[in-house]
Amino acid sequence: MDLDAKLLVALIFLFSSTWHLGSTAGNYNCDDPLASPLPQTAFDSSSNLFSTHSQSYAKLNSQDGAGGWSPLESSAQQWLQVDLGERFDITGVATQGRSRSSDWVTRYSIMFSDTGRNWRPYQHDSSVTVFSGNINADGVVHHKFQHSLKARFLRFLPVEWNSDGEIGMRVEVYGCAYKSDVADFDGRSSLLYRFNQKLMSTFKDVISLKFKSMQSEGVLLHGEGQRGDYLTLELQKGRLSLYINLGDAKRRFGNTHTVVTLGSLLDDQHWHSVTIERFNKQVNFTVDKHTQHFRTKGDSDDLDIDYEFSFGGIPVPGKPGTFLRRNFHGCIENLYYNGVNIIDLAKRRKPQIYIVGNVTFSCSEPHIVPITFLSSGTSYLLLPGISQLDGLSVSFQFRTWNGDGLLLSTQLSGGSGVLVLQLFSGKLLLEIQREMDNILPVSAGSGLNDGQWHTVTINARRHRITLTLDNGATSPVHVDVPVQIYSGSKYYFGGCPDGPADSPCINPTDSFQGCMRLIFIDNRLKDLILVQRGSVGNFSDLQIDTCGIRDRCLPNHCEHGGKCSQSWNTFYCDCNGTGYSEATCHSSIYEQSCEAYRHKGYPSGYYYVDSDGSGPLGPMRVYCNITEDKTWTSVQHNITDLTAVHRTPGSRPYAMLLNYTTSMEQLEAMINRSEYCEQEVEYHCKHSRLLNSPNGAPFTWWMGRGNERHTYWGGSVPGDQKCTCGLEESCVDMRHFCNCDADRYEWTNDTGFLNFKEHLPVSQIVITDTNRSGSEAAWRIGPLLCNGDRSYWNAASFNTMSSYLYFPTFLTEFSTDISFFFKTTSSSGVFLEILGIKSDFIRIALPFPHQVTFSFDVGNGPIEVSVQSATPLNDDHWHYVRAERNIKETTLLVDNLPRKRARGPSDGHFRLQLNSQLYVGGTSSRQKGFLGCIRSLQLNGQMFDLEEKAKMTSGVRPGCPGHCNSYGSLCHNSGKCVEKRNGYSCDCTNSAFEGPTCRKEVSAMFEAGTSVTYVFQEPYPVSKNSSAPSSAIYADNVISKENIAFSFVTGRSPSLLLHINSFYQDYMAVLLCRNGSLQVRYKLSNERTYIFNLDSERLDNKKLHHVMISREGRELIIQIDKITKQRHNFSADIYFKAIKSLTLGKVIDNPGLDSEVSKANTLGFVGCLSSVQYNHLAPLKAALRHPSVAPVTIVGTLSECSCGSVTESDLSTVTTTHSSSDPFGKADDHEPLTNAVKSDSAVIGGVIAVTIFIIFCIVAIMLKIIHQHKETHRKNQSKEKEYPGSMENSFRNEMDLQNAVSECKKEYFI
């Protein structure tokens, strides 16, 4: 509830406390015995075993007769009824068994009624309450109702009884007198409350009433004014809609008024309470126990009503008795308008009240008996009819949530067939089924499973059948049939009894679940009370004299905007587009931070994060910059460029609001979850002061979280009116703490980072010192940047079985989700436990090494869900657990094992009432504790700081080492897992890849003649936190194995991909042959040259290919694209001695190059090479990332790119197309092309001449440019540095230049 709503509640309480809202509101001694003084005739029952066991002897402590009531047979259809003579305020009951017997009831429910018809069950939290009964015959068990009920009749319905006896009861009812003022409106009447003055203007209103009706439409109250104010309460389709507008005449006839709808199924002829509380624009609207707080539209805080307020309808001015909309038909009780008892004034004929039409002051009750079909398989009602009538006439009303079900089945006389009426996908379907053929079905209506009452009438005479829906609201359907229609003797409603195949009842679908009433057969209303007493017809699984329909979507248990739909037994949630999932849209489908995305192996990019998980805040779109060191979350606002400050009229300050791409509440949740946050702020100034340091009032400030004003700048700390240079003592004027405070007539700036989390994000900047002559300024506030996740790695280690952490009571009712990671070597233990009122509890435990169990109780008995693992979970590795409980189902997830689900009960207790502390790592009894680690504990999106709590708890240590045991496999491609205090990182030093998990390829484009040579010599530092092994070992040691891996894309062959040589003229080469196949060549230890050819598809097809070569001793394995794999064996163990260098692409200055390799080396390699790995070295990565320190030489142009995204056009620009003619005749396809380039002295001479000319031109141009640059530099040194005159243009140009540079590819030229 927001602050306005809380204020409204407080104010309403203050000024409504003196107004009468109910005649029994202050009666706290309402516990008088009501049944004992009654005559015996006030008691009734379903049946009696004997006259000595009748209901007449059912008073509490009665010893008369057989000492209490017992029915003819003990079944759930029996009941005992008390007629109190008039409506009372009933607050409790008491029960006994039958005296001196073994007959008593152990559990029972209660129903109540005003008329002895249309009963209603006593409920709590929208579920029928089942009371605990007796454990012996003479003990008295009292129950105080959680909320009193107003009724004349009370029924006790036994649910369970003594297994060694029968049903036996003696009862008492407690309460007090209930006085009320009631008015009955007949649908053509109303009450007009006329004011003492022409206009009634109020800034606060309280209206309360109770009503009951069988009609789903009607206006209960209405008031309006000429300025456009109005307030209307209207019953629409069984729901209450409140229309309200304050002071805007334009809204009166438009659709922009404020309308709020509450309640459902309010046309059930039961009392419903309504309260409207308004204070200015804040409104509380309550129907029964459901309240909605909202703010009304309009220009004013006052509600101005002219002349009168009407109740029961909206009369047309000057035409008494006529109404603009359908008026209310039913009873209203205790109607109060701002403390005025309207009905009391009307009863006393006070002049303020004008009565329109016939209003009576007692509630007329229609004696209509509804019935409820409970089961979709066994419910039915059999009613008799008159056989052999010429025609057929049946009508009834029904309401349901199910789209399918049998409504009526009757066998026609004369062999005409069986008439079947059913609901099919919410439509009426009527057909006559016969042995040989069926008469085509007739369809009517749609969406009839909407919970509303619908009237169906079937009239048939001779050959014509007419189907009418809702008394002709839609056109009746007429159909002629080829048979004569004669009525049958049996009419089955709702379903069919079990019977033989030739039964006179046919049910092609499920039995009907819903309510029916007003059943007419042959134009005669059927008395269903006679059916209940067994005098007429038959039935199964019915509740007679009550409609048990429930709106399971009220309240809406679909969270986060999920759309609710329902059937008779349950509800469904459509979570599409909400960002949430599971049965009630409770669980977020997004991770809670960028850190979590990183841990799952996602690359940098835009993602949705849901910082509070299943909490009320929705997901937000952020950019996750996932780097090797940290993961940054970036949230942009609407002004990202450097912005010049324009002068404001007069002395008004310049102010600019920043609007972020998400709400401030979501940003705060993200910041609170992060370990560190920052925002860069820049202030560029020319004769414009910033903070006016050291002692002046600041000229610039910014607004942070909670609209709090701050006067420190980036790089400083809260409380210090300083900038970065002030802390570093590097300001241009040491007398000030900011560069701009020097107030100089030249451009300077103050730039730094704001990193005090509690103040971020920046929401507004205010600048005041720009209105002086010559003052100019520009500012920029960067995006909000955060890193880390305070919850994800937050862990505690439990060292003893008796140790645990405790946290305050966790409040949850209908939905609960708990998630955490654990690791242990213990075989069992309790992860957490919370206890509640009575038997309520939650517990998650490891009962056995292979099993995790989630158990709880909400008052219906313990429920347990378990997940079994094929491998033990006490393996000292991290395991993930997520348990969720809602009113629909319970789920348990462990790691990536199949999620275990258990359906929740459709009725019973749903509210989980917890009141103990949350015990983590143990239980309240300090038994069965947990040994091991728990981390990232969250309940309903709320994170728990285990580390902070562990610091002050004995037997528990903060943190938990050993993350690499579980997550080392996430470091790919020879990356090494490195332990950190909070988590781990991947060291990619010895990997050919890079990135957070060593999966990002490092690749480059080679042009003709490009060469990358790695020389095995002294070691070099490739990273600040690693020590690379000396490459000099290759010069002396003997290498008996190679592990080589790389990827490539090319459109040219032959090509030399990789070449390794030694000081002893040994070499190894990988090349593409003329036919596009791969060839590997070895020459070792002065032996012959080994040549291995791989037959595969052409590899010069401009597609990405992956090559792996592994040699150890004699065995050689070559694999291409994880498909082609060949094994070869050398004749003897071979070794590489004194390796000299490894070359990618063209080999330069190697006169001893093998002649065949030399042929492929003509142009080297033209294409893209990626992620080259040789044992633990990555030569291409060294060339691209550490060209100045690595022992690597680059010749030609090497352009970094991504081989995976190289297009054919990219290759075309660097690939020399192989000539289709072969000037040297035939060559072996497995050998490189011989003499690929033909020498032509004339051509070569011309090329050399042109090249020399171009070189001379370039040298001349460069000399001129250098001379001009020196002159410009000399002139610039002779005067002070100045910023351009136009700040806006100069900074924009500078930023454009930086952007252009950053978009260029990295190239290396030697």
Side-chain angles (χ1 to χ4, degrees):
M1 185 183 298
D2 58 24
L3 182 60
D4 290 338
K6 292 179 179 177
L7 178 62
L8 170 62
V9 171
L11 291 171
I12 291 293
F13 174 78
L14 287 176
F15 70 73
S16 65
S17 60
T18 60
W19 290 354
H20 184 73
L21 298 180
S23 60
T24 62
N27 194 340
Y28 297 101
N29 298 314
C30 189
D31 54 3
D32 300 331
L34 303 179
S36 298
L38 295 174
Q40 291 183 343
T41 55
F43 291 81
D44 196 4
S45 66
S46 54
S47 64
N48 299 317
L49 181 60
F50 302 107
S51 60
T52 55
H53 296 69
S54 77
Q55 67 274 3
S56 303
Y57 308 116
K59 292 183 181 180
L60 198 69
N61 297 317
S62 172
Q63 300 296 322
D64 299 333
W69 166 73
S70 288
L72 182 61
E73 63 176 358
S74 294
S75 68
Q77 283 72 44
Q78 307 298 334
W79 46 264
L80 174 65
Q81 177 178 308
V82 181
D83 180 1
L84 300 177
E86 60 181 89
R87 292 176 71 200
F88 278 85
D89 191 5
I90 303 172
T91 59
V93 295
T95 60
Q96 285 177 300
R98 192 169 60 82
S99 179
R100 302 180 304 277
S101 73
S102 59
D103 301 340
W104 60 81
V105 173
T106 57
R107 299 176 73 228
Y108 63 92
S109 61
I110 286 177
M111 302 185 79
F112 59 97
S113 169
D114 285 350
T115 63
R117 295 287 181 268
N118 192 27
W119 294 84
R120 186 176 189 180
Y122 180 85
Q123 295 180 321
H124 182 64
D125 288 339
S126 301
S127 297
V128 175
T129 301
V130 178
F131 297 91
S132 58
N134 300 91
I135 59 174
N136 54 44
D138 296 306
V140 179
V141 176
H142 292 84
H143 283 287
K144 183 87 170 177
F145 293 160
Q146 290 189 324
H147 57 87
S148 67
L149 55 92
K150 284 76 178 174
R152 173 181 171 179
F153 295 87
L154 207 67
R155 268 188 184 178
F156 296 82
L157 289 82
V159 175
E160 295 177 3
W161 46 90
N162 181 21
S163 59
D164 296 325
E166 304 295 336
I167 292 175
M169 291 193 81
R170 290 174 286 172
V171 300
E172 181 59 273
V173 180
Y174 299 97
C176 58
Y178 177 70
K179 298 187 182 298
S180 65
D181 296 302
V182 179
D184 191 315
F185 299 83
D186 64 1
R188 295 180 299 275
S189 55
S190 66
L191 294 177
L192 304 182
Y193 173 54
R194 291 179 168 169
F195 308 137
N196 294 327
Q197 62 267 23
K198 178 181 177 181
L199 175 67
M200 176 66 75
S201 180
T202 60
F203 69 91
K204 57 186 178 183
D205 293 290
V206 175
I207 304 173
S208 65
L209 58 94
K210 288 186 176 181
F211 76 93
K212 66 190 306 185
S213 177
M214 285 184 59
Q215 304 299 321
S216 60
E217 309 281 338
V219 174
L220 279 85
L221 58 90
H222 173 77
E224 64 178 84
Q226 294 180 357
R227 294 179 56 248
D229 295 28
Y230 61 89
L231 186 150
T232 304
L233 182 65
E234 184 174 9
L235 195 60
Q236 296 177 322
K237 293 186 176 181
R239 307 187 72 188
L240 271 182
S241 295
L242 175 63
Y243 298 85
I244 186 170
N245 185 54
L246 303 181
D248 191 348
K250 295 179 181 179
R251 301 180 187 273
R252 178 63 183 91
F253 301 102
N255 295 320
T256 56
H257 50 231
T258 304
V259 56
V260 175
T261 301
L262 277 181
S264 181
L265 309 174
L266 301 178
D267 54 345
D268 56 1
Q269 195 59 18
H270 292 297
W271 288 109
H272 298 281
S273 61
V274 182
T275 304
I276 303 169
E277 302 166 309
R278 183 187 68 87
F279 183 79
N280 295 336
K281 287 188 173 65
Q282 294 295 327
V283 181
N284 288 349
F285 179 34
T286 303
V287 177
D288 294 330
K289 295 181 180 180
H290 305 292
T291 300
Q292 186 159 341
H293 312 280
F294 65 96
R295 184 177 177 87
T296 186
K297 299 175 182 177
D299 302 328
S300 172
D301 289 336
D302 296 336
L303 177 64
D304 296 337
I305 304 298
D306 292 339
Y307 303 112
E308 62 192 16
F309 215 101
S310 63
F311 301 93
I314 308 177
V316 176
K319 296 181 180 180
T322 60
F323 294 83
L324 293 174
R325 296 153 92 167
R326 178 178 294 185
N327 53 316
F328 176 71
H329 188 180
C331 301
I332 296 179
E333 176 184 70
N334 292 337
L335 172 57
Y336 289 87
Y337 172 68
N338 288 342
V340 177
N341 188 335
I342 301 297
I343 297 176
D344 178 64
L345 292 179
K347 287 167 62 176
R348 294 190 287 130
R349 305 294 179 177
K350 293 296 183 179
Q352 301 99 308
I353 301 296
Y354 179 71
I355 300 176
V356 179
N358 183 28
V359 177
T360 59
F361 298 104
S362 62
C363 189
S364 60
E365 299 280 359
H367 292 283
I368 296 176
V369 180
I371 56 175
T372 305
F373 295 80
L374 300 173
S375 170
S376 62
T378 59
S379 290
Y380 76 91
L381 170 65
L382 169 61
L383 293 175
I386 302 175
S387 180
Q388 297 293 332
L389 290 178
D390 183 10
L392 176 146
S393 176
V394 179
S395 71
F396 58 90
Q397 292 182 353
F398 74 90
R399 73 189 314 174
T400 185
W401 298 116
N402 289 357
D404 300 286
L406 178 69
L407 294 174
L408 171 66
S409 176
T410 180
Q411 186 171 32
L412 304 174
S413 298
S416 300
V418 178
L419 184 146
V420 177
L421 177 68
Q422 62 174 310
L423 267 181
F424 181 76
S425 298
K427 300 179 179 180
L428 285 181
L429 200 63
L430 175 67
E431 62 181 340
I432 297 177
Q433 297 192 6
R434 301 189 298 178
E435 290 185 4
M436 300 300 296
D437 60 344
N438 293 338
I439 297 178
L440 292 176
V442 177
S443 179
S446 63
L448 302 179
N449 56 328
D450 57 0
Q452 302 295 311
W453 283 110
H454 296 284
T455 302
V456 179
T457 302
I458 303 173
N459 287 307
R461 187 168 180 82
R462 295 180 181 171
H463 295 279
R464 167 163 284 208
I465 298 177
T466 300
L467 178 62
T468 305
L469 176 64
D470 291 334
N471 297 319
T474 58
S475 299
V477 179
H478 306 280
V479 62
D480 293 324
V481 295
V483 295
Q484 184 95 11
I485 302 297
Y486 294 100
S487 64
S489 60
K490 295 180 179 180
Y491 292 82
Y492 292 90
F493 292 87
C496 296
D498 293 334
D502 58 351
S503 169
C505 182
I506 295 178
N507 186 2
T509 182
D510 293 331
S511 295
F512 173 74
Q513 281 182 295
C515 299
M516 289 188 185
R517 69 184 184 188
L518 297 175
I519 299 177
F520 287 83
I521 298 177
D522 302 328
N523 297 316
R524 295 180 181 178
L525 177 64
K526 292 297 181 178
D527 189 346
L528 299 179
I529 297 300
L530 296 178
V531 177
Q532 183 184 41
R533 295 185 179 275
S535 302
V536 175
N538 201 356
F539 65 91
S540 173
D541 281 334
L542 295 187
Q543 282 184 339
I544 298 179
D545 212 1
T546 183
C547 178
I549 191 170
R550 287 178 51 191
D551 190 337
R552 298 181 184 273
C553 290
L554 185 72
N556 185 2
H557 292 290
C558 301
E559 303 177 48
H560 302 107
K563 297 179 180 178
C564 182
S565 61
Q566 60 187 309
S567 64
W568 184 262
N569 291 321
T570 189
F571 69 93
Y572 310 93
C573 294
D574 181 1
C575 305
N576 288 332
T578 65
Y580 297 84
S581 63
E582 298 304 320
T584 59
C585 311
H586 177 76
S587 303
S588 179
I589 64 177
Y590 303 110
E591 300 296 333
Q592 292 185 263
S593 64
C594 288
E595 182 75 20
Y597 280 111
R598 172 197 178 117
H599 177 67
K600 291 194 171 184
Y602 286 85
S604 297
Y606 283 98
Y607 298 96
Y608 281 95
V609 298
D610 198 335
S611 298
D612 70 338
S614 60
L617 301 177
M620 59 179 179
R621 190 169 184 261
V622 302
Y623 183 80
C624 296
N625 185 14
I626 301 175
T627 66
E628 293 187 22
D629 295 333
K630 294 179 180 179
T631 300
W632 289 93
T633 303
S634 175
V635 182
Q636 288 283 2
H637 51 77
N638 59 322
I639 306 176
T640 57
D641 296 332
L642 188 67
T643 304
V645 178
H646 300 287
R647 293 189 178 185
T648 56
S651 58
R652 286 191 307 166
Y654 169 93
M656 188 63 66
L657 286 171
L658 304 183
N659 295 317
Y660 291 83
T661 55
T662 185
S663 72
M664 208 47 79
E665 292 78 12
Q666 291 170 312
L667 287 177
E668 290 179 14
M670 184 197 78
I671 293 171
N672 293 337
R673 190 179 184 89
S674 303
E675 293 180 352
Y676 172 84
C677 292
E678 67 181 22
Q679 259 185 297
E680 186 178 31
V681 290
E682 302 175 23
Y683 189 75
H684 298 263
C685 56
K686 180 180 179 182
H687 189 44
S688 176
R689 293 159 294 183
L690 179 62
L691 300 182
N692 200 21
S693 60
N695 300 316
F699 290 108
T700 299
W701 59 87
W702 54 276
M703 310 297 288
R705 186 189 304 188
N707 251 359
E708 187 177 353
R709 171 177 162 171
H710 301 286
T711 58
Y712 67 96
W713 200 244
S716 184
V717 295
D720 281 353
Q721 195 171 313
K722 295 182 180 180
C723 300
T724 302
C725 69
L727 293 179
E728 297 176 352
E729 298 183 354
S730 60
C731 296
V732 295
D733 187 336
M734 296 303 293
R735 294 173 299 175
H736 301 280
F737 299 144
C738 296
N739 289 322
C740 290
D741 288 348
D743 202 20
R744 295 186 176 183
Y745 283 91
E746 59 190 33
W747 284 104
T748 186
N749 74 86
D750 287 293
T751 301
F753 287 93
L754 302 170
N755 54 19
F756 192 68
K757 279 199 329 176
E758 286 71 13
H759 291 171
L760 297 177
V762 179
S763 60
Q764 184 182 24
I765 185 170
V766 180
I767 300 172
T768 64
D769 192 24
T770 57
N771 288 335
R772 294 182 296 160
S773 176
S775 293
E776 293 185 65
W779 61 274
R780 178 184 174 274
I781 296 177
L784 175 66
L785 301 174
C786 295
N787 67 55
D789 187 331
R790 293 178 54 238
S791 173
Y792 198 80
W793 299 107
N794 192 299
S797 303
F798 299 86
N799 303 322
T800 65
M801 293 290 289
S802 60
S803 61
Y804 62 86
L805 300 178
Y806 63 89
F807 294 90
T809 301
F810 175 67
L811 299 178
T812 182
E813 292 185 340
F814 298 110
S815 295
T816 305
D817 72 271
I818 305 170
S819 63
F820 59 89
F821 293 85
F822 78 90
K823 71 172 184 173
T824 184
T825 57
S826 180
S827 60
S828 64
V830 176
F831 299 121
L832 60 86
E833 179 184 80
I834 322 173
L835 303 181
I837 299 173
K838 297 181 180 179
S839 60
D840 289 14
F841 75 90
I842 286 180
R843 185 180 299 113
I844 303 180
L846 180 76
F848 308 105
H850 293 77
Q851 179 178 322
V852 173
T853 300
F854 174 39
S855 54
F856 65 92
D857 189 351
V858 296
N860 302 317
I863 295 177
E864 184 174 282
V865 180
S866 298
V867 170
Q868 299 283 345
S869 172
T871 57
L873 300 172
N874 59 339
D875 56 358
D876 202 28
H877 283 63
W878 285 113
H879 297 282
Y880 177 68
V881 176
R882 190 181 192 281
E884 179 179 340
R885 175 261 162 190
N886 54 63
I887 67 174
K888 281 214 67 174
E889 67 178 16
T890 301
T891 62
L892 179 62
L893 175 68
V894 178
D895 294 333
N896 293 316
L897 297 172
R899 189 188 302 265
K900 189 66 178 293
R901 299 179 184 271
R903 295 190 62 174
S906 58
D907 292 295
H909 297 281
F910 300 112
R911 192 185 302 271
L912 183 61
Q913 302 180 73
L914 304 175
N915 61 0
S916 79
Q917 294 173 327
L918 165 63
Y919 296 90
V920 180
T923 66
S924 58
S925 61
R926 299 194 178 187
Q927 297 177 356
K928 300 180 182 179
F930 173 72
L931 287 175
C933 299
I934 295 177
R935 73 173 174 88
S936 190
L937 173 64
Q938 296 188 78
L939 279 75
N940 279 4
Q942 176 184 347
M943 59 183 181
F944 288 81
D945 195 340
L946 301 177
E947 292 187 355
E948 194 64 30
K949 198 74 173 180
K951 292 177 182 178
M952 56 188 75
T953 306
S954 61
V956 187
R957 291 185 294 105
C960 183
H963 300 302
C964 284
N965 289 344
S966 302
Y967 304 125
S969 61
L970 296 178
C971 297
H972 300 272
N973 302 307
S974 301
K976 179 182 178 182
C977 183
V978 179
E979 288 284 346
K980 297 172 64 178
R981 186 184 71 85
N982 285 331
Y984 70 96
S985 64
C986 295
D987 182 1
C988 305
T989 299
N990 295 329
S991 172
F993 293 76
E994 61 185 5
T997 56
C998 307
R999 300 180 71 175
K1000 181 181 178 182
E1001 67 174 34
V1002 179
S1003 50
M1005 185 71 75
F1006 285 65
E1007 297 183 2
T1010 300
S1011 173
V1012 175
T1013 301
Y1014 186 96
V1015 180
F1016 295 94
Q1017 54 182 25
E1018 292 299 329
Y1020 66 95
V1022 295
S1023 67
K1024 62 183 179 181
N1025 60 352
S1026 63
S1027 56
S1030 174
S1031 56
I1033 61 173
Y1034 286 89
D1036 301 320
N1037 288 0
V1038 175
I1039 305 302
S1040 62
K1041 64 180 181 179
E1042 289 93 40
N1043 287 298
I1044 300 172
F1046 61 89
S1047 301
F1048 71 93
V1049 179
T1050 186
R1052 182 189 183 280
S1053 62
S1055 296
L1056 180 60
L1057 292 162
L1058 179 146
H1059 185 269
I1060 304 173
N1061 68 341
S1062 76
F1063 289 99
Y1064 296 99
Q1065 303 304 313
D1066 296 344
Y1067 77 88
M1068 179 254 188
V1070 182
L1071 45 94
L1072 282 183
C1073 299
R1074 179 176 179 273
N1075 67 348
S1077 65
L1078 189 77
Q1079 185 180 94
V1080 179
R1081 303 172 69 94
Y1082 272 96
K1083 183 179 183 302
L1084 301 172
S1085 306
N1086 294 320
E1087 295 187 8
R1088 65 182 180 87
T1089 300
Y1090 295 90
I1091 302 174
F1092 305 99
N1093 296 301
L1094 275 79
D1095 295 325
S1096 65
E1097 64 169 331
R1098 294 189 67 96
L1099 302 182
D1100 57 351
N1101 57 0
K1102 300 181 181 180
K1103 295 182 180 179
L1104 184 64
H1105 299 285
H1106 307 278
V1107 177
M1108 294 183 64
I1109 302 172
S1110 175
R1111 179 190 69 85
E1112 185 167 5
R1114 297 184 180 185
E1115 185 179 37
L1116 174 69
I1117 300 175
I1118 306 173
Q1119 183 170 345
I1120 301 175
D1121 294 335
K1122 298 183 180 181
I1123 300 175
T1124 303
K1125 186 175 183 179
Q1126 294 186 13
R1127 293 179 180 270
H1128 303 276
N1129 286 288
F1130 295 95
S1131 58
D1133 291 342
I1134 61 174
Y1135 304 93
F1136 243 133
K1137 296 181 180 179
I1139 292 180
K1140 180 180 180 181
S1141 63
L1142 181 153
T1143 300
L1144 305 175
K1146 185 177 179 64
V1147 178
I1148 307 296
D1149 297 332
N1150 191 339
L1153 201 63
D1154 180 278
S1155 60
E1156 299 302 329
V1157 176
S1158 179
K1159 298 171 186 177
N1161 189 46
T1162 303
L1163 294 178
F1165 173 75
V1166 179
C1168 185
L1169 265 180
S1170 172
S1171 304
V1172 182
Q1173 184 88 44
Y1174 174 73
N1175 291 345
H1176 69 276
L1177 298 177
L1180 181 60
K1181 179 180 175 182
L1184 293 174
R1185 296 290 175 264
H1186 313 284
S1188 60
V1189 296
V1192 63
T1193 301
I1194 303 172
V1195 176
T1197 302
L1198 185 69
S1199 304
E1200 185 173 0
C1201 67
S1202 173
C1203 290
S1205 59
V1206 169
T1207 63
E1208 291 193 15
S1209 60
D1210 295 329
L1211 292 172
S1212 298
T1213 61
V1214 296
T1215 301
T1216 302
T1217 304
H1218 175 57
S1219 174
S1220 59
S1221 62
D1222 187 356
F1224 295 92
K1226 293 184 179 180
D1228 186 352
D1229 280 350
H1230 290 293
E1231 294 296 331
L1233 182 63
T1234 306
N1235 299 327
V1237 180
K1238 182 180 179 181
S1239 299
D1240 190 318
S1241 59
V1243 173
I1244 293 175
V1247 170
I1248 293 175
V1250 171
T1251 302
I1252 293 175
F1253 175 75
I1254 291 174
I1255 291 174
F1256 273 112
C1257 292
I1258 292 174
V1259 170
I1261 293 171
M1262 290 182 64
L1263 289 174
K1264 183 176 181 180
I1265 292 174
I1266 292 173
H1267 175 73
Q1268 291 177 345
H1269 177 72
K1270 287 183 178 180
E1271 287 296 317
T1272 303
H1273 181 66
R1274 181 181 58 80
K1275 293 178 180 178
N1276 288 341
Q1277 284 182 330
S1278 65
K1279 57 182 178 180
E1280 292 289 331
K1281 177 183 177 182
E1282 290 188 2
Y1283 281 82
S1286 173
M1287 272 296 298
E1288 187 169 1
N1289 292 332
S1290 63
F1291 278 102
R1292 191 176 305 278
N1293 293 337
E1294 181 181 348
M1295 293 182 69
D1296 291 342
L1297 177 61
Q1298 292 173 353
N1299 292 336
V1301 171
S1302 66
E1303 292 173 359
C1304 292
K1305 293 190 298 183
K1306 297 179 182 178
E1307 295 190 349
Y1308 301 82
F1309 300 94
I1310 300 296

